[in-house]
């Protein structure tokens, strides 16, 4: 049983999802497939936006920051509001694509912590280098991903594939039977659906 | 202990919240303050929208309809996708404002069921008349609300007040200490916050 986990490194609500998904998935015997993509091109193509909706619509932004603070507190996750928003997650996404699935979780978590706990610039190769080291990945090997034409076009393909799946935000979870669940709030529902194919497993339908 | 419950009759995710809130609130000893408002003017003022974002951005709309179906199934709520969306909730909102708080729940539920279960036109005074009867409210008395200048201006004031509170969507819950929680997903969190002033009541902060 596998759940596709689509995330964008700039996305705020992806942070609690990234930190929570492994434990929640393991508890249900579900494997996580880490799928980085870029949300910017989708926001532009689908909604004509050139910036995060949280910046374009300040009333939504103000709510999101307070809500995120509460969500993190609820789950016992450290959180510092970053000075830069949204950050450029291009480099981090490329590096992630160059990693095996088994290596991705630790690297991705380290990058989200750099952004949402330590307020670092995650487009900076030095910060990504440090994240790789913390994740037990050989930094020298993966930094090549930043210059790889193959990875570059792979990320473009993944982003196009995300659009084809009906993705318009992050985090998004896709179950084996193709159900789309959007948002950190839907993590448990998506996992339950992956296992049972319904959200009412105890009921006869 | 009281939770303000701001809802718009056209709002899809307000339907499960309307059907769930009384039981969830009673379980925590919280009273519900029913506050109808109009979301259209806020969408226009805050985001420049002249229609529901679910119509303006089809990818979000397609997701919402499927998600709403799943949410309703999860909570055991009947659901039929209405032919009209969004409906005009102006008349229903005016009638609600003319009712005492103790009468509002039953009337509001009857109108949401007319919309999201029976696919009726909730701007139609006959449908509202029937909803009032089902809710045990004297229809003749409250239909006067549709022609009342006082109620008209009261609804305008409430909508302005919603904007001042930072509301940008429905349903929205406001706790006694002023925390804003947006979305049917946040109902339980809002109620817990109303009681404990935190989402981690078991923790010492």
């Amino acid at each position: 049983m596998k759940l596709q986990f689509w995330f964008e490194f700039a996305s705020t609500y992806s942070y609690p999802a990234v930190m929570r998904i492994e434990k929640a998935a393991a508890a249900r015997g579900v494997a996580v497939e880490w799928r980085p993509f870029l949300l910017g091109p989708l926001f532009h193509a689908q909604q004509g936006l050139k910036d995060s909706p949280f910046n374009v619509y300040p009333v939504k932004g103000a709510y999101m920051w307070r809500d995120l603070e509460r969500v993190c507190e609820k789950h016992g996750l450290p959180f510092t509001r970053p000075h830069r928003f949204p950050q450029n997650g291009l480099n981090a996404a490329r590096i992630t694509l160059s990693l095996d699935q088994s290596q991705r979780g630790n690297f991705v978590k380290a990058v989200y912590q750099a952004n949402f706990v330590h307020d670092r610039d995650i487009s900076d190769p030095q910060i990504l280098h440090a994240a790789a080291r913390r994740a037990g990945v050989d930094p020298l090997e993966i930094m090549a991903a930043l210059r790889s034409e193959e990875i570059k076009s792979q990320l473009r393909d993944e982003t196009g594939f995300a659009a084809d799946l009906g993705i318009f935000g992050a985090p998004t979870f896709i179950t084996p039977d193709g159900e789309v669940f959007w948002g950190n709030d839907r993590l448990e529902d998506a996992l339950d659906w992956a296992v049972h194919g319904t959200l009412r497993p105890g009921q006869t339908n």
Side-chain angles (χ1 to χ4, degrees), chain A residues 26 50 57 78 83 89 95 126 143 157 163 171 175 191 198 201-203:
Chain A
K50 292 180 178 175
Y57 310 118
H83 284 89
I95 291 174
Q126 279 203 298
M143 297 313 275
D157 290 349
T175 63
L191 288 165
T198 170
Q203 307 286 323

Side-chain angles (χ1 to χ4, degrees), chain A residues 9 26 30 38 97 101 122 131 139 143 151 159 166 180 192 200:
Chain A
F9 279 98
V30 175
L38 298 183
L97 281 182
Q101 281 293 339
I122 63 161
M143 297 313 275
I151 294 282
T159 298
V180 180
D192 288 342
R200 306 198 84 195

Side-chain angles (χ1 to χ4, degrees), chain A residues 61-119:
Chain A
Y63 174 78
M64 178 276 290
W65 289 114
R66 177 59 184 143
D67 187 54
L68 185 63
E69 199 168 53
R70 288 187 311 229
V71 167
C72 290
E73 196 193 325
K74 179 179 175 178
H75 295 296
L77 296 170
F79 171 72
T80 307
R81 179 171 170 173
H83 284 89
R84 311 161 191 80
F85 177 79
Q87 294 221 39
N88 185 338
L90 184 70
N91 286 341
R94 286 181 181 167
I95 291 174
T96 307
L97 281 182
S98 78
L99 298 174
D100 290 338
Q101 281 293 339
S102 65
Q103 298 177 300
R104 291 185 184 186
N106 285 341
F107 175 71
V108 172
K109 282 186 286 182
V111 175
Y112 274 91
Q113 288 172 319
N115 187 350
F116 294 103
V117 182
H118 306 296
D119 194 12

Side-chain angles (χ1 to χ4, degrees), chain A residues 4-14 17-18 33-44 46-47 87-98 101 104 108 112 122 151-174 180-183:
Chain A
Q4 291 181 12
F5 174 33
W6 292 82
F7 57 94
E8 145 74 57
F9 279 98
S11 150
T12 52
Y13 286 110
S14 293
V18 159
E33 193 177 298
W34 299 80
R35 304 287 290 261
F37 73 110
L38 298 183
L39 194 47
L42 270 56
F43 276 155
H44 188 247
Q46 297 167 344
Q47 302 184 50
Q87 294 221 39
N88 185 338
L90 184 70
N91 286 341
R94 286 181 181 167
I95 291 174
T96 307
L97 281 182
S98 78
Q101 281 293 339
R104 291 185 184 186
V108 172
Y112 274 91
I122 63 161
I151 294 282
K152 198 170 163 178
S153 100
Q154 199 182 329
L155 179 57
R156 214 162 21 220
D157 290 349
E158 285 290 281
T159 298
F161 191 43
D164 294 342
L165 287 169
I167 290 177
F168 56 90
T172 295
F173 314 98
I174 315 259
V180 180
F181 290 87
W182 170 51

